[in-house]
Amino acid sequence: MEDEECPALVPIAAGGSEGPDPGRRIPVTIITGYLGAGKTTLLNYILTEQHSKKIAVILNEFGEGSALEKSLAISQGGELYEEWLELRNGCLCCSVKDNGVKAIENLMKRRGKFDYILLETTGLADPGAVASMFWVDSELGSDIYLDGIISVVDAKHGLQHLTEEKPEGLVNEASRQVALADLIIINKTDLVSGEELNKVRTSVRVDLSNVLDLHAFDSLSGISLQKKLEHVKTTQAHLDKGIMTVTFEVLGDIKEENLNLFIQNLLWEKNVKDKTGHAMDVIRLKGLVSIQGKSHQVIVQGVHELYDLEETAVEWKEDEKRTNRLVLIGKNKLCISLCKFKELFLSAGGPGTCPVKSNQPKLARVTAVRGCSV
Ligand SMILES: Nc1nc2c(ncn2[C@@H]2O[C@H](COP(=O)(O)OP(=O)(O)OP(=O)(O)O)[C@@H](O)[C@H]2O)c(=O)[nH]1
Ligand SMILES: [Zn+2]
């Protein structure tokens, strides 16, 4: 066959392959997905596998988890990071103009040091609101552009999140995350059967086709996209206020079997209750704990009823106070005193008296991030 008529492919100037070019617009990829879907895991994968780009990371953590996220990420090849920004004052998409833009502007002051930005949203974010940030601020628009939105879906729990009915006026954030995605990654396929996986696949597809009109990222014409995003921007609070974060911190070591028992009581038996008899329906559990006899810090990861403990490469320093920090994210606030928590945690629910006296330094700290005052 002659291929005369077929024009030769001419490569578009690759530009900047020799390192970051300060004059070029920087692409931003938004990584979204429900609580515990696997966003940070994907982020780590990109950061460790990708060697030709210098990547800056922006984390928008729900609750107080960012310190944990950071240690999780850094434990696997931190040298790729240029900058970490913590947007602690709430959700990026609730304070788009202030926090989000400012964070990126700050980051851009260090332009030249990186050539890509990865932005991990909270598990409860509406990525549409986050994405619109790039059009709201025209100055920002000349520095960076949105390359795409990746949504990570948990094959095991994704369907449950996608189909959950929300109180009136609230969007289901999981379905918004899928709806606005340019690319959907179904994760944790190892945890489900082929049949279950197919169900998730189908429902994600259906969801997409429902919103194709609204999305249309393909014709990346800034203006129409902006319009579309404006259209979907919610003026009322879009976050599910029913989801709360509680952080507990207890000094000292815990026996591994007690920790397991405590987590099982919390996630499986759901018998860790507050005074009013409420148990928390924990969707996401993160922790950094100090286990008796172990010289290294241990990370606790939980999503619904699944959890695991993983020893990190980080050793407790000799002059460092060993401590246990747990972040619970879920429904029904768990309002228990630090004393009670410590008792439950250290004894894993067994009988015991509370050793904290008022004139002693506090041995435990309870922080209620939202919806819970102790
Ligand atoms: N079995 C299994 N577990 C996975 C997979 N990917 C991630 N996980 C686990 O799922 C848990 C949550 O993963 P993360 O990457 O922290 O999830 P995330 O979406 O960043 O979580 P949040 O930021 O809290 O919303 C961790 O315990 C991971 O080890 C997978 O493919 N299979
Ligand atoms: Zn994460």
Side-chain angles (χ1 to χ4, degrees):
M1 276 273 274
E2 289 208 22
D3 55 0
E4 271 177 352
E5 288 183 13
C6 185
L9 293 175
V10 179
I12 297 172
S17 59
E18 297 304 315
D21 167 4
R24 238 180 44 197
R25 287 205 302 162
I26 306 279
V28 182
T29 295
I30 296 178
I31 300 177
T32 189
Y34 202 71
L35 293 168
K39 300 177 289 297
T40 305
T41 306
L42 175 66
L43 195 75
N44 275 327
Y45 176 74
I46 298 172
L47 291 173
T48 47
E49 293 298 307
Q50 168 62 262
H51 296 294
S52 66
K53 286 189 183 358
K54 297 195 102 189
I55 300 174
V57 175
I58 299 177
L59 286 182
N60 180 212
E61 259 304 281
F62 182 71
E64 279 200 296
S66 27
L68 287 175
E69 289 267 326
K70 186 171 165 174
S71 63
L72 284 180
I74 281 176
S75 66
Q76 304 173 25
E79 69 281 357
L80 282 160
Y81 301 99
E82 282 297 335
E83 181 89 346
W84 285 88
L85 288 167
E86 295 183 2
L87 308 171
R88 286 201 159 231
N89 304 328
C91 163
L92 186 61
C93 53
C94 292
S95 47
V96 163
K97 272 221 151 143
D98 327 319
N99 274 340
V101 173
K102 230 178 257 157
I104 293 176
E105 276 170 359
N106 273 344
L107 190 62
M108 293 314 289
K109 286 186 195 143
R110 306 176 66 122
R111 59 161 58 233
K113 294 209 166 168
F114 55 88
D115 49 19
Y116 213 99
I117 299 175
L118 291 178
L119 192 162
E120 180 186 333
T121 72
T122 74
L124 298 172
D126 176 351
V130 178
S132 67
M133 175 170 88
F134 300 103
W135 285 274
V136 168
D137 190 287
S138 56
E139 252 176 64
L140 208 57
S142 61
D143 287 338
I144 57 177
Y145 68 93
L146 180 62
D147 188 58
I149 300 177
I150 300 176
S151 181
V152 185
V153 174
D154 180 333
K156 174 125 183 105
H157 304 105
L159 263 186
Q160 183 188 335
H161 299 146
L162 282 165
T163 53
E164 193 178 349
E165 295 268 345
K166 293 282 168 176
E168 209 178 328
L170 284 179
V171 292
N172 176 315
E173 51 287 269
S175 63
R176 291 277 302 152
Q177 291 162 352
V178 166
L180 282 167
D182 296 295
L183 175 71
I184 297 169
I185 295 175
I186 300 179
N187 191 33
K188 308 197 194 178
T189 53
D190 55 308
L191 297 177
V192 296
S193 65
E195 197 184 330
E196 284 173 286
L197 181 58
N198 264 338
K199 263 194 204 155
V200 179
R201 259 200 204 121
T202 315
S203 85
V204 162
R205 277 211 188 103
V206 168
D207 218 305
L208 246 188
S209 67
N210 279 343
V211 293
L212 222 53
D213 280 344
L214 176 113
H215 182 39
F217 259 30
D218 336 327
S219 65
L220 249 172
S221 81
I223 293 165
S224 66
L225 182 57
Q226 179 180 0
K227 282 229 170 78
K228 278 161 192 154
L229 288 167
E230 268 168 12
H231 182 239
V232 298
K233 236 192 305 178
T234 40
T235 44
Q236 80 232 72
H238 54 276
L239 289 184
D240 187 344
K241 293 279 193 299
I243 299 206
M244 339 253 169
T245 305
V246 193
T247 306
F248 295 103
E249 199 167 318
V250 178
L251 283 182
D253 293 339
I254 183 162
K255 282 194 192 136
E256 187 159 356
E257 70 241 47
N258 278 2
L259 178 64
N260 277 309
L261 216 59
F262 174 79
I263 296 173
Q264 287 160 18
N265 281 336
L266 183 74
L267 301 183
W268 300 357
E269 311 297 334
K270 300 199 189 303
N271 63 10
V272 176
K273 292 179 177 162
D274 64 16
K275 254 195 248 158
T276 59
H278 279 118
M280 189 167 183
D281 184 5
V282 179
I283 298 171
R284 187 78 173 98
L285 167 70
K286 298 187 209 191
L288 196 63
V289 294
S290 165
I291 291 180
Q292 234 169 59
K294 284 200 197 291
S295 55
H296 288 75
Q297 301 184 353
V298 171
I299 279 174
V300 182
Q301 286 270 21
V303 180
H304 289 276
E305 76 286 3
L306 299 177
Y307 79 93
D308 65 0
L309 308 179
E310 197 189 319
E311 205 163 328
T312 67
V314 183
E315 232 173 317
W316 291 105
K317 294 189 201 78
E318 255 176 47
D319 55 347
E320 187 179 19
K321 285 212 171 83
R322 293 178 62 133
T323 182
N324 303 276
R325 187 163 186 259
L326 283 189
V327 183
L328 318 181
I329 304 174
K331 290 179 211 159
N332 300 330
K333 56 189 171 188
L334 190 66
C335 291
I336 59 179
S337 69
L338 57 91
C339 178
K340 181 73 186 163
F341 177 77
K342 186 171 178 255
E343 186 184 313
L344 287 172
F345 183 71
L346 294 178
S347 68
T353 51
C354 237
V356 185
K357 287 194 191 120
S358 58
N359 61 346
Q360 279 183 338
K362 274 187 185 165
L363 297 172
R365 187 169 67 89
V366 179
T367 318
V369 176
R370 216 157 97 184
C372 178
S373 58
V374 184

